[in-house]
């Protein structure tokens, strides 16, 4: 493997280590032992849940190919997963608010374990059922756990500022360190130990079962709106009304869909972007480098949040940088001559794109804890899971359309489209900051008027 990859990985590792070891008092927040115990419990559970998800990633496509399915068949399986998340996500989110977030988290574990079990069958219908279960589980992973955390944090009367500490730590470990370790562990099981491509799915099921046991034994239940007279349709109406009546929630949903839609599209496009002429690139090592970049981003986010910088302000910069990084493949396609050697090493243009993609992944690392922080501020508690899954409807629809037409457009067009979406997210983020500031100003003015009223009979 070329020295270039090791240099990039080593530089990123050094920067991450330097940031973590060099934290000053301004970058740390004084907390209590009770909160630290609560935070560590959640981070442990979240890490186990994410390991169950990350372990499956490297071998899903490969396993389907081993079963003899072609690209079209595999594409339909992937579409089934995103479509399931889109169709059933809002329903399971509403049930989480109504029936309890702890139960929803347990349901996630059971659904994903069953999805892992289906990977043992080469039958297409069984695999399709597994993808549908996986789509439902994904909706719960990105809504129920965060909803439970926010409600439980508030129920225990912890400082609201401390919530960002848990978010940052969970993303740093769960979406960074765990992703790297899971990729290496999956490779160890499937390749080095010779257990085959289904072994990572069995390992994922084991980690999910351990996490479920911890949830059942140490988590308490909390709800969005536990009133008996509210059925599923009423929950939908509450969520829809909140989005329609509050511009801040609508803007937040649009921003999330634009960024995550671009992010998931990037997941499908980075491999052909770096190897347009079938260059020999180390996919696993590059994936680990991306995850290290994401850890760098979450480390930066923890510093920004600890210093109480306005999330709405710095995220405008993050989205703008993201847009620039994803336009790099378009720029290099015009100005850097492509490699003429089929199957050779990565080209100069590919090297530039790799650096840009690492920057994009660092922006992803900043995005996750920051969007969680904004959701905790703007989304009402009574329908939190429902609203969060409403946000995922346009996201999943977008990804399904991209998957269905992935061969219809040149890769530069796809990246250009993602770049435009990210610039739009930056503009909407600016609007969100303006609306939020106006709301705070009007609220403060009303409070002052209310205080003056008794003095003026």
């Amino acid at each position: 493997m070329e020295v270039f990859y090791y240099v990039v990985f080593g530089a990123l590792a050094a920067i991450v280590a330097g940031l973590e070891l060099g934290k000053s008092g301004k970058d740390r927040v004084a907390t209590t032992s009770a909160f630290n115990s609560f935070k560590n419990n959640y981070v442990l559970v979240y890490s186990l849940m994410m390991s169950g998800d990350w372990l499956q990633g490297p071998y899903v496509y490969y396993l389907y190919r081993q079963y003899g399915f072609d690209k079209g068949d595999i594409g339909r399986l992937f579409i089934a997963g995103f479509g399931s998340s889109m169709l059933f996500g809002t329903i399971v989110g509403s049930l989480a608010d109504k029936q309890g977030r702890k139960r929803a988290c347990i349901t996630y574990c059971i659904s994903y374990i069953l999805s892992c079990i289906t990977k043992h069958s080469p039958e297409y219908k069984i695999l399709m059922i597994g993808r549908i279960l996986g789509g439902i589980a994904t909706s719960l992973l990105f809504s129920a756990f965060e909803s439970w955390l926010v409600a439980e944090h508030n129920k225990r009367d912890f400082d609201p500022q401390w919530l960002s500490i848990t978010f940052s730590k969970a993303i740093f470990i769960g979406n960074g360190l765990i992703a790297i370790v899971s990729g290496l562990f999956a490779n160890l099981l499937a390749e080095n130990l010779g257990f085959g491509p289904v072994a990572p799915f069995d390992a994922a099921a084991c980690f999910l079962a351990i996490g479920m046991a911890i949830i059942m034994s140490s988590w308490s239940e909390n709800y969005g709106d536990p009133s008996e007279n509210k059925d599923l349709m009423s929950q939908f109406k509450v969520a829809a009304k909140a989005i329609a009546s509050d511009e801040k929630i609508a803007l937040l949903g649009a921003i999330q869909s634009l960024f995550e839609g671009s992010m998931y599209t990037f997941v499908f496009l980075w491999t052909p972007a770096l190897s347009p002429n079938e260059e020999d690139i180390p996919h696993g090592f590059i994936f680990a480098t991306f995850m290290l970049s994401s850890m760098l981003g979450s480390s930066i986010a923890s510093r920004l949040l600890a210093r109480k910088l306005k999330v709405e302000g710095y995220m405008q910069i993050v989205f703008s940088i993201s847009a620039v990084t994803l336009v790099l493949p378009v720029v290099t396609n015009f100005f850097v001559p492509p490699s003429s050697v089929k199957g050779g090493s990565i080209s100069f243009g590919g090297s530039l794109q790799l650096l840009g993609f690492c920057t994009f992944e660092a922006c992803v690392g900043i995005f996750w804890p920051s969007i969680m922080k904004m959701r905790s501020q703007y989304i009402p508690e009574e329908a939190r899971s429902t609203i969060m899954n409403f946000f995922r409807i346009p996201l999943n629809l977008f990804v399904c359309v991209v998957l269905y037409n992935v061969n219809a457009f040149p890769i530069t067009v796809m990246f250009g489209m993602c770049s435009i979406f990210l610039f739009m997210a930056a503009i909407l983020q600016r609007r969100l900051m303006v609306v939020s500031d106006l709301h705070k100003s009007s609220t403060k003015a009303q409070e002052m008027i209310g205080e003056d009223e008794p003095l003026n009979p």
Side-chain angles (χ1 to χ4, degrees), residues 10 14 36 46 95 124 126 179 184 195 200 205 209 242 266 364 417 428 445:
N36 289 332
Y46 185 79
L95 289 174
Y124 194 76
I126 300 297
L184 297 174
F195 292 135
F266 166 78
V364 172
M417 179 180 63
L428 293 179

Side-chain angles (χ1 to χ4, degrees), residues 302-362:
S302 67
R303 285 175 172 246
L304 296 174
L305 292 168
R307 299 188 180 204
K308 299 182 180 180
L309 294 180
K310 185 178 289 187
V311 180
E312 294 85 356
Y314 71 72
M315 283 307 295
Q316 297 174 53
I317 301 172
V318 171
F319 290 139
S320 299
I321 293 173
S322 300
V324 172
T325 61
L326 290 196
V327 85
L328 266 178
V330 181
V331 175
T332 55
N333 183 67
F334 282 103
F335 295 103
V336 180
S339 172
S340 59
V341 181
K342 193 176 184 66
S345 59
I346 190 169
S347 64
F348 176 69
S351 299
L352 292 177
Q353 289 180 43
L354 178 59
L355 295 175
F357 292 166
C358 287
T359 305
F360 175 75
E361 284 290 346

Side-chain angles (χ1 to χ4, degrees), residues 206-378:
C206 292
F207 284 114
L208 291 167
I210 294 170
M212 182 169 65
I214 297 174
I215 292 172
M216 295 175 70
S217 61
S218 64
W219 285 23
S220 60
E221 187 60 276
N222 62 54
Y223 303 86
D225 188 346
S227 57
E228 294 296 331
N229 60 343
K230 281 208 169 179
D231 55 17
L232 204 59
M233 190 55 66
S234 299
Q235 286 288 105
F236 289 161
K237 290 178 179 178
V238 169
K241 184 179 179 181
I243 295 172
S245 62
D246 192 333
E247 186 180 357
K248 297 189 298 297
I249 299 176
L251 286 168
L252 190 64
I255 290 166
Q256 178 178 320
S257 295
L258 287 168
F259 186 87
E260 291 190 35
S262 301
M263 181 186 69
Y264 285 119
T265 303
F266 166 78
V267 170
F268 296 111
L269 297 181
W270 72 261
T271 297
L274 296 181
S275 54
N277 204 23
E278 297 183 16
E279 284 86 352
D280 183 20
I281 60 174
H283 294 84
F285 196 83
I286 290 175
F287 174 80
T289 304
F290 287 162
M291 293 303 99
L292 188 59
S293 300
S294 181
M295 287 179 67
L296 170 61
S298 62
S299 182
I300 294 172
S302 67
R303 285 175 172 246
L304 296 174
L305 292 168
R307 299 188 180 204
K308 299 182 180 180
L309 294 180
K310 185 178 289 187
V311 180
E312 294 85 356
Y314 71 72
M315 283 307 295
Q316 297 174 53
I317 301 172
V318 171
F319 290 139
S320 299
I321 293 173
S322 300
V324 172
T325 61
L326 290 196
V327 85
L328 266 178
V330 181
V331 175
T332 55
N333 183 67
F334 282 103
F335 295 103
V336 180
S339 172
S340 59
V341 181
K342 193 176 184 66
S345 59
I346 190 169
S347 64
F348 176 69
S351 299
L352 292 177
Q353 289 180 43
L354 178 59
L355 295 175
F357 292 166
C358 287
T359 305
F360 175 75
E361 284 290 346
C363 292
V364 172
I366 299 173
F367 168 79
W368 284 118
S370 301
I371 197 74
M372 289 175 174
K373 176 66 174 177
M374 288 190 286
R375 286 194 297 237
S376 70
Q377 294 173 337
Y378 298 133

Side-chain angles (χ1 to χ4, degrees), residues 36-298:
N36 289 332
S37 178
F38 170 75
K39 177 197 69 179
N40 292 337
N41 174 271
Y42 178 80
V43 171
L44 172 61
V45 170
Y46 185 79
S47 297
L48 288 167
M49 299 301 101
M50 291 308 300
S51 67
D53 188 51
W54 286 119
L55 275 166
Q56 301 179 54
Y59 286 94
V60 176
Y61 192 97
Y62 180 71
L63 179 66
Y64 294 153
R65 287 298 299 268
Q66 288 292 97
Y67 285 150
F69 299 112
D70 60 25
K71 187 177 181 180
D73 293 329
I74 297 172
R76 284 187 286 274
L77 286 170
F78 275 89
I79 290 173
F82 286 105
S84 167
S85 183
M86 178 178 66
L87 293 174
F88 300 116
T90 309
I91 297 175
V92 297
S94 299
L95 289 174
D97 289 327
K98 177 70 176 174
Q99 302 298 328
R101 279 72 177 268
K102 175 182 175 180
R103 288 195 185 100
C105 293
I106 293 172
T107 303
Y108 160 80
C109 297
I110 295 172
S111 300
Y112 229 177
I113 289 172
L114 291 174
S115 177
C116 290
I117 292 173
T118 63
K119 298 301 188 292
H120 282 272
S121 173
E123 292 292 327
Y124 194 76
K125 291 180 179 179
I126 300 297
L127 294 172
M128 183 67 74
I129 292 172
R131 291 299 300 179
I132 293 171
L133 288 170
I136 294 172
T138 301
S139 294
L140 290 169
L141 174 62
F142 291 107
S143 60
F145 287 89
E146 183 180 328
S147 297
W148 180 88
L149 171 65
V150 174
E152 197 68 20
H153 184 99
N154 294 331
K155 188 167 72 174
R156 299 190 186 198
D157 292 324
F158 293 134
D159 188 327
Q161 178 64 25
W162 296 352
L163 195 57
S164 60
I165 301 174
T166 309
F167 287 149
S168 298
K169 186 63 67 176
I171 296 302
F172 181 81
I173 296 177
N175 277 20
L177 184 62
I178 292 297
I180 297 172
V181 174
S182 295
L184 297 174
F185 186 49
N187 188 78
L188 174 69
L189 291 173
E191 306 291 343
N192 300 95
L193 297 179
F195 292 135
V198 79
F201 297 93
D202 293 335
C206 292
F207 284 114
L208 291 167
I210 294 170
M212 182 169 65
I214 297 174
I215 292 172
M216 295 175 70
S217 61
S218 64
W219 285 23
S220 60
E221 187 60 276
N222 62 54
Y223 303 86
D225 188 346
S227 57
E228 294 296 331
N229 60 343
K230 281 208 169 179
D231 55 17
L232 204 59
M233 190 55 66
S234 299
Q235 286 288 105
F236 289 161
K237 290 178 179 178
V238 169
K241 184 179 179 181
I243 295 172
S245 62
D246 192 333
E247 186 180 357
K248 297 189 298 297
I249 299 176
L251 286 168
L252 190 64
I255 290 166
Q256 178 178 320
S257 295
L258 287 168
F259 186 87
E260 291 190 35
S262 301
M263 181 186 69
Y264 285 119
T265 303
F266 166 78
V267 170
F268 296 111
L269 297 181
W270 72 261
T271 297
L274 296 181
S275 54
N277 204 23
E278 297 183 16
E279 284 86 352
D280 183 20
I281 60 174
H283 294 84
F285 196 83
I286 290 175
F287 174 80
T289 304
F290 287 162
M291 293 303 99
L292 188 59
S293 300
S294 181
M295 287 179 67
L296 170 61
S298 62

Side-chain angles (χ1 to χ4, degrees), residues 41 169 349 389 430 453:
N41 174 271
K169 186 63 67 176
N389 278 300
R430 172 67 181 174
E453 281 179 354

